[in-house]
Amino acid sequence: MTGSLSTEQTERFARDGFLAPVDVLNEADAASMRERLEAIEASAPADLPIADFRRTAAHVVFTPVDELVHDARIVDVMESLIGPDILLWDSDLIIKEPNTPGFISWHQDLRYMGIEPLESFTAWLALSPATGDMGCMRFLPGSHRRGLLEHVDTHADTNLLTRGQTVRDGIDETQAVAGPLMAGQMSIHHGLALHASEPNRSDHRRIGLAMRFLAPSARQTKGERDYASLVRGSDHEGNFLAMPRPQGDLMPEAVAAWRKISDEQSAYYFEGGDATWSGGTGTAGR
């Protein structure tokens, strides 16, 4: 299989279920993307739910995110794990404001996605530093080999996951490994890998972009259709409808497409739960 990861890196990922850090962007490129995104935040109309747009399918409405999910430096990494044909299922901008209590409980991304086979890969790109005191991600090595685990919905006020979904059994905190990143670096984890993060106790924003990638052979099992973006190669299966690429930031047609996609995907995500929020899936808290 081709791609930019070394044999040692792919072997380590297969063993541990995660890999961090991986160098992808240079510092200037990361800073430029952050500046563009924060400018969009600052200028967004008051009647648009900017926080919701960040939580799911962010690449449908933000041109900087669209550029990143198609960036060859990122896609080259994913090709090492998926192969030459690659779909993007979702993208989230995950922001922890300075000195805030928001945390992420131990969970698996695939638990609520409805995707089979159980193969997805989340790339988490740091657009700011993500150090220990800023609430970087933590992983349990080898947990991706435990299969799909039971989660409970806690709906805790400070849990940044939409349902507060939490794995409570079999968590050994002493085995957790932190994955601090500098701006421009990326971590990757398997969709079954248990991961969590602590609050941001620093005086700085922690900004990351989570991107969930799939092979075209994946399919949605909780509904008749689902959406994805082809970022490399060809979609030889046709199991997903294509997500549109934005022609500008927060354009009306992109916002309308985002609402349709997020409403349909949230139905899969909330299946079996008691939450009613319809602003997106919120599947991947970091």
Side-chain angles (χ1 to χ4, degrees), residues 106-108 140 143 146 149-152 166-172 194:
W106 289 105
H107 71 286
Q108 298 171 308
L140 283 181
S143 57
R146 294 170 58 183
L149 302 176
E150 288 299 318
H151 292 54
V152 294
T166 303
V167 172
R168 287 178 168 166
D169 296 330
I171 302 298
D172 183 355
L194 285 163

Side-chain angles (χ1 to χ4, degrees), residues 218-238:
R219 66 187 189 281
Q220 176 57 245
T221 63
K222 292 185 177 181
E224 294 182 359
R225 61 179 179 269
D226 201 352
Y227 299 83
S229 297
L230 182 68
V231 296
R232 177 161 293 176
S234 61
D235 180 2
H236 43 80
E237 300 289 344

Side-chain angles (χ1 to χ4, degrees), residues 146-221:
R146 294 170 58 183
L148 207 59
L149 302 176
E150 288 299 318
H151 292 54
V152 294
D153 293 349
T154 67
H155 301 294
D157 290 341
T158 55
N159 193 328
L160 299 180
L161 293 172
T162 308
R163 297 170 66 151
Q165 57 267 31
T166 303
V167 172
R168 287 178 168 166
D169 296 330
I171 302 298
D172 183 355
E173 291 275 357
T174 66
Q175 299 301 308
V177 175
L181 303 172
M182 298 306 296
Q185 291 183 321
M186 190 168 75
S187 66
I188 319 161
H189 64 267
H190 191 282
L192 290 175
L194 285 163
H195 57 289
S197 66
E198 297 292 325
N200 182 0
R201 299 183 176 92
S202 79
D203 296 328
H204 306 282
R205 281 186 119 192
R206 195 212 68 166
I207 305 172
L209 173 63
M211 300 162 279
R212 273 168 299 290
F213 295 95
L214 307 166
S217 55
R219 66 187 189 281
Q220 176 57 245
T221 63

Side-chain angles (χ1 to χ4, degrees), residues 73-154:
R73 292 168 291 184
I74 293 171
V75 181
D76 283 348
V77 172
M78 304 317 297
E79 183 169 338
S80 297
L81 303 175
I82 298 173
D85 303 317
I86 305 172
L87 298 177
L88 176 86
W89 185 76
D90 194 22
S91 63
D92 305 342
L93 283 165
I94 312 296
I95 299 176
K96 288 182 180 177
E97 300 295 348
N99 295 300
T100 50
F103 73 99
I104 299 297
S105 54
W106 289 105
H107 71 286
Q108 298 171 308
D109 291 346
L110 274 166
R111 180 62 183 86
Y112 297 101
M113 289 170 60
I115 296 296
E116 289 186 2
L118 295 175
E119 287 286 320
S120 75
F121 303 88
T122 298
W124 200 98
L125 174 68
L127 296 177
S128 74
T131 58
D133 64 338
M134 298 176 77
C136 69
M137 274 202 286
R138 303 163 68 222
F139 307 93
L140 283 181
S143 57
H144 63 305
R145 295 192 295 271
R146 294 170 58 183
L148 207 59
L149 302 176
E150 288 299 318
H151 292 54
V152 294
D153 293 349
T154 67

